[in-house]
Amino acid sequence: MGSLAASQLTVQLTFNQMSLRIFHVIFIIASIVLSLFVAVWAVREYQATHSLGALALGVVFVIAGIAMVLYGRRWFNKLKELS
């Protein structure tokens, strides 16, 4: 088996073994990071332009980030109970 075929087989096995729980954890973390990144960007945009729309966007994404952190904590606790 060539090295390319072996690496494709390894990638395929890795993706097949990834559970829905692991995907959910990765997705929650990525969503939190993205939300906080957008919030910081929007606040910096507000500082530069004094646009109320940018400020509102920053506030919305800070709230969304906090909500996702709370959801993630609740979900992780539920995951521990189920395991």
Side-chain angles (χ1 to χ4, degrees), residues 42-73:
V43 169
R44 293 182 80 193
E45 184 70 20
Y46 170 73
Q47 290 173 342
T49 64
H50 300 291
S51 166
L52 291 178
L55 181 61
L57 184 68
V59 169
V60 166
F61 274 90
V62 165
I63 292 169
I66 292 169
M68 284 187 267
V69 167
L70 295 174
Y71 169 77
R73 290 174 103 189

Side-chain angles (χ1 to χ4, degrees), residues 8 17 27 34-35 37-38 49 53-56 65 76 80-81:
Q8 288 175 344
Q17 292 172 353
F27 191 74
L34 181 62
S35 177
F37 176 78
V38 172
T49 64
L55 181 61
F76 289 134
K80 286 179 186 177
E81 290 174 12

Side-chain angles (χ1 to χ4, degrees), residues 20-21 24 71 73-83:
L20 187 57
R21 290 178 182 176
H24 199 81
Y71 169 77
R73 290 174 103 189
R74 194 179 103 213
W75 193 83
F76 289 134
N77 289 336
K78 181 88 168 177
L79 182 63
K80 286 179 186 177
E81 290 174 12
L82 295 176
S83 296

